[in-house]
Amino acid sequence: MAHVISDECVSCGACESECPVGAIAMGDDHMQINADACVDCGACEAACPTGAISAE
Ligand code: SF4
């Protein structure tokens, strides 16, 4: 299990600093979560202004 970022992401970067394990980085089109690093804490979900982050 890992959280995922959808196309609704506007690449604002608000989630990146909230992740305790550094699993979020800029991807090709928008921010992406490294599924291998994500511990499913949900901290990034609350930080997202567009609701683009959800549990997979
Ligand atoms: Fe990072 Fe937690 Fe979001 Fe996973 S759910 S990307 S560990 S902040």
Side-chain angles (χ1 to χ4, degrees):
M1 284 286 288
H3 274 57
V4 291
I5 300 179
S6 77
D7 287 343
E8 285 169 70
C9 172
V10 293
S11 303
C12 68
C15 56
E16 193 174 5
S17 59
E18 297 299 318
C19 182
V21 296
I24 305 179
M26 189 60 198
D28 291 338
D29 298 325
H30 54 71
M31 303 299 286
Q32 282 186 336
I33 295 174
N34 177 349
D36 291 330
C38 176
V39 294
D40 248 354
C41 69
C44 52
E45 194 174 351
C48 182
T50 67
I53 305 180
S54 60
E56 197 166 40

